[in-house]
């Protein structure tokens, strides 16, 4: 018991890697350990992932979306139930914005392309927090699968005011409306007004969809290196 308490007191982020490709899971686990994270285990099926998450109670679960028998999004919902303090970062070959929304609805807190760089993945995992959705920058940067086949007719980016752009950039960093208002020195109601305006201009209904659409249109400033 004392040893378990000691483990909880360490500063290392405890990560469970879930992927049905054993080699990928083991290589990623080793890379995360080299980056200073505590790779507590690898799971190769949804059922194994749920059981290990319940037993190990990791800080982060890196979840492959496509697995046999039960997909990673269904597994994400169960992991969030059995390990409520864990955040789930999904990794996938899918780049369609619909998948980002589906991942968020399943309870994921990060979306990372499988063919992105290891540095990007580690950066996202180091910044992911509950209650937000971090989308790796490479998700919509180039590649044949970046733009969905059925994009809305309006392909041109809307004109944003300077303040709207500032609010949008903050949303893109995963900030909540209250924090944005505080950082920009505006009232909460004023900030909500800018968010509503962004929703209208982008043709979306939620902050997550606003960020995804803005990334598609190239409206978000580059993510700062923190």
């Amino acid at each position: 018991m004392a040893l378990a308490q000691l483990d909880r007191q360490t500063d290392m982020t405890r990560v469970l890697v879930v992927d049905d490709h054993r080699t990928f899971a083991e290589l990623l686990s080793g890379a995360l350990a080299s980056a200073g994270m505590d790779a507590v285990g690898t799971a190769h099926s949804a059922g194994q992932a749920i059981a290990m998450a319940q037993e190990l109670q990791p800080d982060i679960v890196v979840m492959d979306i496509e697995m046999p028998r039960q997909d990673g999004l269904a597994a994400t919902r169960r992991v969030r139930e059995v390990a409520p303090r864990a955040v789930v970062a999904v990794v996938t070959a899918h780049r369609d914005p619909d998948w980002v929304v589906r991942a968020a609805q399943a309870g994921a807190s990060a979306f990372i392309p499988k063919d992105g760089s290891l540095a990007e993945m580690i950066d996202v995992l180091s910044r992911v927090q509950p209650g937000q959705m971090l989308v790796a920058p490479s998700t919509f940067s180039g590649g044949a699968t970046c733009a969905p086949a059925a994009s809305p007719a309006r392909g041109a980016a809307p004109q944003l005011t300077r303040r709207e752009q500032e609010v949008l950039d903050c949303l893109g960093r995963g900030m909540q409306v209250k924090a944005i208002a505080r950082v920009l020195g505006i009232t909460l109601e004023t900030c909500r007004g800018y968010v509503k305006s962004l929703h209208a201009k982008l043709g979306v209904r939620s902050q997550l969809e606003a960020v995804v659409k803005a990334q598609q249109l190239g409206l978000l400033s580059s993510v700062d290196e923190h």
Side-chain angles (χ1 to χ4, degrees):
M1 186 68 126
L3 184 59
Q5 289 175 342
L6 183 62
D7 285 342
R8 285 292 182 185
Q9 291 171 359
T10 63
D11 291 329
M12 294 178 69
T13 301
R14 304 172 69 253
V15 185
L16 172 65
V17 176
V18 184
D19 198 293
D20 61 315
H21 292 90
R22 292 176 180 269
T23 302
F24 177 84
E26 289 166 7
L27 287 174
L28 177 56
S29 186
L32 295 176
S34 298
M37 298 183 182
D38 184 8
V40 295
T42 57
H44 309 297
S45 69
Q48 190 179 19
I50 294 162
M52 291 182 71
Q54 185 169 23
E55 177 187 355
L56 298 171
Q57 295 296 312
D59 300 309
I60 301 174
V61 177
V62 179
M63 178 76 70
D64 182 24
I65 282 185
E66 294 181 287
M67 290 188 293
R69 291 186 293 278
Q70 185 177 17
D71 68 86
L73 295 185
T76 293
R77 293 187 182 92
R78 288 288 294 126
V79 165
R80 296 290 295 120
E81 292 173 2
V82 302
R85 289 183 295 178
V87 293
V88 180
V90 299
V91 292
T92 176
H94 294 294
R95 290 174 179 267
D96 191 303
D98 286 347
W99 280 95
V100 181
V101 176
R102 289 172 64 184
Q105 290 171 339
S109 294
F111 189 95
I112 309 169
K114 247 188 175 179
D115 58 357
S117 70
L118 178 61
E120 178 184 65
M121 179 178 290
I122 291 171
D123 174 61
V124 171
L125 293 179
S126 69
R127 294 187 294 117
V128 65
Q129 294 178 17
Q132 66 176 37
M133 183 57 154
L134 276 180
V135 180
S138 68
T139 303
F140 304 114
S141 61
T145 58
C146 287
S151 294
R154 88 171 109 164
Q159 292 295 314
L160 304 181
T161 67
R162 180 181 61 82
R163 187 61 92 184
E164 286 171 344
Q165 184 66 57
E166 290 173 345
V167 171
L168 181 60
D169 288 340
C170 289
L171 290 174
R173 296 186 189 102
M175 295 173 64
Q176 301 299 313
V177 176
K178 284 184 180 179
I180 297 172
R182 187 167 59 249
V183 167
L184 297 182
I186 57 180
T187 67
L188 182 58
E189 287 306 311
T190 298
C191 190
R192 284 174 176 157
Y194 284 123
V195 171
K196 279 187 179 180
S197 176
L198 286 169
H199 286 185
K201 287 187 176 183
L202 293 169
V204 298
R205 298 176 188 169
S206 70
Q207 292 176 34
L208 172 61
E209 289 176 316
V211 171
V212 172
K213 185 69 175 290
Q215 285 180 311
Q216 275 188 285
L217 297 173
L219 288 171
L220 284 179
S221 300
S222 300
V223 177
D224 295 331
E225 295 182 5
H226 293 311

